[in-house]
Amino acid sequence: MKNLILYTSFALLLSATTAEAQTQLPAAGKPKDFVLPASKKIELPNGLKLTMVPYGNIPKVTVRVVVKTGLVHEAKGETWLARYMGKLMEEGSLQNDLQSLSKKVAAMGGRLSINVGMESISIGGSVLSEYAPEFIRLIAEVLTTPAFPAAAGERLKNDLKRELTVRKGQPDAQAQQEFFSILFKDHPYASQFPTEEGLNALTVEKARDFYNKQFGAQRTSIYVAGNFDAAAVNTAVSQSLGNWAKGPAISYPPVKANKSSELVIIDRPNAPQSTLFLGTPVPDVSSPEFTQMEITNSLLGGSFGSRITRNIREDKGYTYSPYSAVMERQSNAVWYEKADVTSESTGASLFEISKEIRGLQAAPPPAEELKGIQNYEAGSFVLTNSSADGIIEQLNYMDMFGLKETYLTNRIKNLYSVTPAQVQNMARKYLNYEDMTLVIVGDKKQLESQMNTINDTRKKKKAF
Amino acid sequence: MKFSLRHGLRKAFYALCLVPLTTMANDPVPKAGKGMTIPVEYYKLANGLKVVLSQDKHAPIVTVAVYYNIGFRIEPKNRTGFAHLFEHMMFQGSKNFPKGEFDKLTERNGGFNNGSTRFDFTNYFEVMPSHMLEPILWAEADRMKALDLNQAALTNQQGVVKNEVKVNVLNRPYGGFPWLDMPQYANENWYNAHNFYGDLKDLDSANLEDVKSFFSTYYSPNNAALVIVGDFEIANAKAWIDKYFSAIPASQLPAKPDLTEPVQQKEKRFSKEDPLISKPAIAIAYKMPERNTPQYYAMGMISELLVEGKDSKLFQHLVQEKGYTSNINGGINYLGNMFNYNGPMLWMMDCIYDGTVNADSIIAKVDQSLAELEKEVTQESINLAMVKMRSSLYDNLGGFYGIGLADLLACFALFDDNPSRVNQLEAAFQQVTPELVRSTIRDYLRPTNRTILISQPAKKETK
């Protein structure tokens, strides 16, 4: 294992100030080099991958198993089957039912939870260091011999129904599902809500079947980070997972996000705010332009000092929580801006958002502004790699998107290589406001008088 | 970028994914089963500023936190939400460092900042690459000294804060339930029982005079603690702190109002309507024993056994056995943890359930869980609670880029004048005996000491 030193190039951004000591911002010290934590990777004969990262002085260890399956593998009409399966797996293994499992894990100072995501399912938790091997064995039981107790079937289904009801009432969830449905139609990436009938039709058998079809060693990675005895961990993994069946190969159904300039308004009577969801497909992780897109996103809406946030929050006070992000999926990426804005300022907010996007298309950002954003991204990278969980997250991200070791070693250099002209080019090439999908969840009554303003922002404007 | 939103009341939820922080590969590793000892250096400046330094060189990161001993409990009576509104004003710039510069200094040099308002403090913190320590200390001192308070900034932040209340409470199903609602029902004393996020009307009527007088009253070095955690040199830090903070004058602090709550003698039940929900939710809150008493530590252990994890009594009974709900929230101080407050507090649980279930069935299960715990508690249960407690304590002491540790050090400095308490917590919990657990359940977790609040879906009008 070797430690890799990254030469960070934080350049301090100073403002002009007066010359008196107490009234003048002092200079920063010399940036320290950042040492990337070393990790050890082992692949078992059945294809299961183990990554160990010794890190830190807290007597705890984080174990996370990631299986490359999830909502993405649900068939039509079986929405949330993967989540149902996850809940059933949480009920325990053939050796330990939920009560016995929970007791054992609690005695290690931990909790075992299963998170079902779009493209991956993660199983794990953190426990006191000395229990790492035992914890791994318990996780392995749940992973390879889940009980799928029939007795829990109805109760867990009812939990999902309750959750569906709760989610449907959230403006965020309403906006998000509408937005992604326009982009991904009936592909699981659309994040559609299930129907009550659909949930009723789920069975324990179907869940077990999903598990049998989608789980196996080839699709599985296990990450162990923090303080632990590496030899004991290695032994626990080999013994408890070494004989697990290979299972299916990694496979994600191909899909390309659909570009649409649709505007949808979902009525939320008397809502004090409109929830805006605005976005469009952009180049994905595999594209050479992706880093440029990440920087463009941070500068435009993805950081507190970004242009849209400074404008609609820190100048106009229309909103508290605006942000933009790039949602990443296999072979897909979608840029979106999300904000909950005061109902009567919906049109005004959209006007300002469109102005900021077009402004970036019209002129490259000043070098100093870009440098600040690059520092921000480089800093985020350092922070991510300064904690056990962050390191796991980083390594899993690289694994999910097939990124090589050079992604880590070149990350900081690549961030700083983006130029103002490239940022402007990203905005021009991919972020045309009038071509974006726009979903508004808000009070139609209050939106009526603002429709002219809203529609006017959607007209093609020659920005460049 | 991820967002973690914990009940708002913070400047922004721009936060990098906050995850437990650990240390360098070449640091000495603790032996299995051993606890942690945190280095703590504590002193005060002549103007009363409390300073806590805790070095940890595992990563080239430094965390600076300034805690002011003013929370939303004691904001002006006709200005609900004011302490939090003021927190936003601390980011609006000074004569030396105009609006936007503070955020630029942190974010655009590779770090992040945030602030939050809680019952008994308002905090401001920055997580930065190590070499940024001096500029950050200067910037914190600069805003402690003098803000450039102006109407434009105030109007802007009134807009932002009103939107914060809308997004977290008014337009959100179960918004404010139970973290904002319950104190208003359970407590009698206005200081503990008002809407601390603020009525929109009160937020609107805040004026520049209020802001100026609040700042000059509470934002002074003798009402604050400054904490530095992470990778820095002690001597440098001390020199910079002296250089930038020592000349800031102390202020005359007003006497702290009486925050005590009368002892509750009767169970209280309330229900409220929420037009945005279609499933009811219930919260049950009990008044806590006084902070730092033996019973207080016992409550920490009881909470571990009652509501933490899937092996807990309430999860086993309400989720696993009955299927009334899929998730139980619970614990001491919904806006933090059992260490970072200084006054009356509630232990609470809550869950969303189906309309077909009678709330009394849930309450009966809670009573059954308490009765079982009282009857069955042994040294073995205490040991289990201890393991759970230690594990979460280590996460807190070592996690979140040092923010968790800075929080404890600042609160123990402000409230107890003793930040070294971080190293005494484990021993305090070790003192809890089965008998103490039993008497604490009898004395505090009695029906007559609780408030029950049910949030009901609004009745649909039939047209």
Side-chain angles (χ1 to χ4, degrees):
Chain A
M1 291 204 252
K2 68 177 189 16
N3 287 343
L4 183 96
I5 297 183
L6 295 174
Y7 296 93
T8 48
S9 53
F10 292 117
L12 179 64
L13 291 176
L14 293 169
S15 353
T17 49
T18 60
E20 203 190 318
Q22 290 302 322
T23 58
Q24 190 176 7
L25 182 75
K30 187 177 166 302
K32 295 192 173 185
D33 295 326
F34 174 65
V35 182
L36 265 177
S39 58
K40 187 174 183 190
K41 295 189 168 118
I42 295 166
E43 186 162 336
L44 303 188
N46 58 1
L48 186 131
K49 289 187 267 187
L50 162 66
T51 305
M52 292 187 284
V53 191
Y55 194 81
N57 61 359
I58 303 169
K60 290 205 66 174
V61 59
T62 300
V63 181
R64 193 162 134 199
V65 171
V66 180
V67 187
K68 289 197 175 78
T69 180
L71 299 162
V72 68
H73 290 135
E74 289 168 344
K76 273 195 190 59
E78 290 190 338
T79 307
W80 287 15
L81 174 60
R83 298 191 63 224
Y84 187 49
M85 182 215 64
K87 279 179 164 290
L88 277 157
M89 283 179 80
E90 276 191 328
E91 294 290 307
S93 65
L94 294 173
Q95 300 82 344
N96 285 288
D97 66 8
L98 178 65
Q99 198 168 9
S100 151
L101 183 74
S102 306
K103 268 214 170 80
K104 285 185 176 176
V105 177
M108 301 175 185
R111 290 176 197 196
L112 200 159
S113 56
I114 301 186
N115 261 313
V116 177
M118 185 57 76
E119 296 176 332
S120 66
I121 294 181
S122 77
I123 305 176
S126 75
V127 294
L128 294 167
S129 285
E130 61 265 38
Y131 299 110
E134 285 167 73
F135 188 45
I136 287 167
R137 287 175 210 275
L138 279 180
I139 294 173
E141 271 180 20
V142 172
L143 182 64
T144 60
T145 52
F148 287 108
E154 279 311 301
R155 170 168 57 82
L156 297 175
K157 207 188 286 190
N158 195 44
D159 284 347
L160 284 180
K161 285 187 208 165
R162 193 184 307 114
E163 198 176 316
L164 175 65
T165 310
V166 169
R167 275 206 206 188
K168 278 182 156 172
Q170 298 163 341
D172 288 38
Q174 294 169 347
Q176 204 168 323
Q177 101 130 10
E178 184 66 30
F179 177 82
F180 287 112
S181 296
I182 293 169
L183 265 67
F184 291 106
K185 302 207 160 71
D186 55 4
H187 186 279
Y189 288 164
S191 304
Q192 292 271 2
F193 291 136
T195 59
E196 185 96 12
E197 300 73 55
L199 289 180
N200 278 330
L202 297 178
T203 63
V204 175
E205 271 324 297
K206 283 182 184 167
R208 186 195 294 277
D209 192 47
F210 184 93
Y211 167 85
N212 287 335
K213 282 206 184 96
Q214 307 296 350
F215 273 60
Q218 286 191 100
R219 285 187 174 181
T220 304
S221 305
I222 174 164
Y223 301 92
V224 183
N227 272 294
F228 54 92
D229 175 337
V233 160
N234 201 344
T235 305
V237 171
S238 312
Q239 286 178 350
S240 61
L241 291 164
N243 297 324
W244 194 27
K246 255 189 151 157
I250 295 164
S251 152
Y252 288 107
V255 61
K256 268 284 168 228
N258 155 56
K259 230 174 140 142
S260 158
S261 58
E262 212 174 323
L263 160 62
V264 177
I265 296 176
I266 298 173
D267 193 20
R268 188 172 172 86
N270 307 319
Q273 283 180 321
S274 296
T275 301
L276 308 177
F277 224 100
L278 169 86
T280 187
V282 292
D284 68 276
V285 183
S286 65
S287 157
E289 289 177 323
F290 189 71
T291 309
Q292 297 171 36
M293 185 45 77
E294 285 178 290
I295 292 282
T296 304
N297 168 59
S298 274
L299 186 135
L300 186 59
S303 63
F304 191 77
S306 65
R307 292 183 175 192
I308 294 174
T309 300
R310 275 204 319 254
N311 179 335
I312 61 177
R313 174 180 155 143
E314 288 301 283
D315 185 45
K316 311 286 187 311
Y318 294 155
T319 177
Y320 162 66
S321 49
Y323 70 92
S324 74
V326 179
M327 187 204 66
E328 297 170 58
R329 299 277 182 236
Q330 301 297 316
S331 319
N332 279 277
V334 174
W335 179 88
Y336 66 87
E337 168 78 25
K338 194 233 152 197
D340 297 275
V341 303
T342 301
S343 297
E344 57 266 32
S345 310
T346 310
S349 300
L350 285 164
F351 172 79
E352 296 301 334
I353 292 169
S354 66
K355 196 173 84 181
E356 293 301 344
I357 294 173
R358 289 178 175 130
L360 193 55
Q361 292 175 324
E368 195 207 21
E369 183 185 10
L370 175 58
K371 183 78 184 168
I373 293 294
Q374 288 164 322
N375 283 345
Y376 167 67
E377 286 289 340
S380 302
F381 179 73
V382 169
L383 289 176
T384 297
N385 285 289
S386 300
S387 78
D389 288 25
I391 293 163
I392 289 179
E393 195 150 320
Q394 176 84 74
L395 294 169
N396 179 47
Y397 172 81
M398 290 166 64
D399 187 42
M400 285 304 297
F401 292 104
L403 300 168
K404 303 203 168 36
E405 201 65 25
T406 50
Y407 169 83
L408 278 181
T409 50
N410 296 337
R411 175 69 176 163
I412 289 184
K413 190 178 85 199
N414 289 344
L415 288 169
Y416 282 110
S417 72
V418 175
T419 66
Q422 285 175 328
V423 172
Q424 179 189 24
N425 180 46
M426 283 298 104
R428 286 184 174 198
K429 213 165 150 182
Y430 301 108
L431 301 179
N432 284 313
Y433 175 83
E434 61 272 10
D435 299 335
M436 290 185 189
T437 306
L438 172 59
V439 175
I440 305 174
V441 178
D443 183 0
K444 271 196 168 143
K445 276 197 317 289
Q446 294 183 76
L447 289 172
E448 265 166 29
S449 60
Q450 302 178 65
M451 283 322 290
N452 282 346
T453 313
I454 294 170
N455 289 328
D456 194 51
T457 65
R458 310 278 292 161
K459 286 184 191 136
K460 278 215 183 314
K461 295 225 172 32
K462 192 129 183 71
F464 51 90
Chain B
M1 168 128 55
K2 287 220 171 57
F3 296 84
S4 63
L5 175 65
R6 171 136 177 91
H7 302 327
L9 287 176
R10 53 178 52 188
K11 172 186 158 242
F13 47 88
Y14 274 99
L16 293 141
C17 181
L18 291 185
V19 286
L21 176 76
T22 45
T23 34
M24 210 157 53
N26 58 7
D27 271 12
V29 169
K31 291 207 174 51
K34 282 267 171 63
M36 294 175 74
T37 304
I38 304 290
V40 179
E41 179 146 354
Y42 182 45
Y43 65 99
K44 295 185 190 106
L45 299 184
N47 59 9
L49 180 72
K50 293 171 169 173
V51 180
V52 191
L53 307 176
S54 182
Q55 216 177 34
D56 170 4
K57 296 197 161 198
H58 79 279
I61 294 173
V62 67
T63 297
V64 174
V66 180
Y67 277 57
Y68 292 93
N69 205 347
I70 167 71
F72 47 63
R73 260 197 247 262
I74 58 175
E75 59 200 0
K77 286 203 171 171
N78 56 349
R79 292 280 185 268
T80 59
F82 192 82
H84 169 238
L85 175 64
F86 185 85
E87 175 220 309
H88 282 243
M89 296 309 292
M90 277 296 270
F91 292 91
Q92 299 304 300
S94 72
K95 292 269 189 289
N96 302 318
F97 216 43
K99 175 170 173 161
E101 292 299 326
F102 194 96
D103 288 317
K104 207 188 277 184
L105 178 70
T106 49
E107 202 174 50
R108 300 206 167 175
N109 288 295
F112 67 94
N113 73 64
N114 211 336
S116 40
T117 312
R118 295 292 180 256
F119 283 94
D120 304 294
F121 64 78
T122 308
N123 73 352
Y124 303 87
F125 63 84
E126 299 79 38
V127 175
M128 297 300 296
S130 306
H131 67 285
M132 291 298 299
L133 180 58
E134 190 183 1
I136 289 294
L137 289 171
W138 176 89
E140 280 293 8
D142 178 68
R143 64 178 174 179
M144 186 185 287
K145 232 180 340 220
L147 288 175
D148 176 25
L149 297 165
N150 61 72
Q151 190 55 49
L154 177 60
T155 304
N156 165 245
Q157 291 305 308
Q158 283 169 306
V160 172
V161 170
K162 281 190 291 177
N163 272 299
E164 183 178 347
V165 175
K166 287 173 189 169
V167 76
N168 287 335
V169 181
L170 303 175
N171 197 32
R172 175 188 292 248
Y174 310 100
F177 184 88
W179 60 275
L180 181 63
D181 296 331
M182 183 59 95
Q184 298 177 58
Y185 289 94
N187 294 321
E188 305 292 330
N189 182 335
W190 181 91
Y191 290 107
N192 309 314
H194 69 276
N195 171 0
F196 45 76
Y197 227 170
D199 299 321
L200 298 184
K201 282 197 313 289
D202 279 1
L203 289 168
D204 271 330
S205 39
N207 60 50
L208 217 47
E209 270 326 293
D210 298 332
V211 174
K212 284 177 176 161
S213 94
F214 196 80
F215 179 68
S216 63
T217 308
Y218 295 109
Y219 277 71
S220 57
N222 49 320
N223 200 36
L226 163 66
V227 181
I228 307 176
V229 170
D231 179 17
F232 66 99
E233 298 308 324
I234 301 265
N236 291 349
K238 284 182 168 175
W240 292 330
I241 289 166
D242 184 58
K243 183 174 174 183
Y244 299 122
F245 286 89
S246 61
I248 305 173
S251 75
Q252 184 61 47
L253 291 166
K256 198 173 172 182
D258 179 6
L259 300 179
T260 51
E261 282 292 323
V263 175
Q264 195 174 327
Q265 307 291 11
K266 269 182 39 201
E267 179 186 272
K268 298 194 277 187
R269 288 200 187 203
F270 302 95
S271 81
K272 58 171 281 207
E273 277 198 355
D274 181 346
L276 302 181
I277 64 174
S278 29
K279 297 268 179 193
I282 184 170
I284 306 176
Y286 296 83
K287 302 240 169 49
M288 280 281 294
E290 198 179 328
R291 209 173 144 261
N292 302 346
T293 55
Q295 292 87 349
Y296 156 89
Y297 289 107
M299 275 299 292
M301 301 294 253
I302 291 167
S303 192
E304 291 289 346
L305 297 169
L306 209 49
V307 79
E308 294 293 342
K310 290 178 188 161
D311 65 310
S312 65
K313 286 273 179 206
L314 292 181
F315 187 93
Q316 284 295 328
H317 284 314
L318 291 168
V319 178
Q320 179 73 0
E321 176 196 327
K322 286 293 183 187
Y324 289 157
T325 182
S326 54
N327 182 34
I328 307 279
N329 303 305
I332 300 162
N333 186 11
Y334 267 40
L335 278 175
N337 55 40
M338 72 178 287
F339 309 112
N340 57 8
Y341 67 88
N342 191 26
M345 186 44 69
L346 301 168
W347 180 90
M348 179 157 56
M349 65 74 69
D350 77 276
C351 64
I352 295 169
Y353 61 102
D354 293 328
T356 49
V357 174
N358 187 331
D360 283 323
S361 318
I362 297 175
I363 297 163
K365 279 289 163 196
V366 172
D367 287 335
Q368 184 193 331
S369 303
L370 289 166
E372 283 174 9
L373 197 57
E374 188 185 343
K375 204 166 127 228
E376 299 162 7
V377 65
T378 57
Q379 190 52 45
E380 201 186 339
S381 341
I382 302 277
N383 297 347
L384 175 66
M386 193 68 216
V387 167
K388 292 163 102 176
M389 180 63 80
R390 267 177 52 215
S391 189
S392 69
L393 193 60
Y394 297 160
D395 284 344
N396 206 13
L397 292 175
F400 317 111
Y401 304 116
I403 296 167
L405 173 59
D407 180 69
L408 291 179
L409 293 171
C411 287
F412 292 161
L414 281 184
F415 305 151
D416 308 308
D417 196 19
N418 180 14
S420 293
R421 279 193 62 215
V422 291
N423 291 317
Q424 297 150 15
L425 294 173
E426 260 191 71
F429 286 110
Q430 297 279 16
Q431 300 300 307
V432 177
T433 61
E435 184 42 48
L436 182 62
V437 166
R438 276 191 286 271
S439 67
T440 305
I441 291 175
R442 280 194 302 269
D443 295 347
Y444 290 93
L445 294 168
R446 51 184 165 87
T448 49
N449 188 36
R450 74 182 172 200
T451 304
I452 296 167
L453 176 63
I454 294 168
S455 190
Q456 296 281 13
K459 297 196 178 46
K460 298 264 185 300
E461 284 171 43
T462 43
K463 286 200 172 120

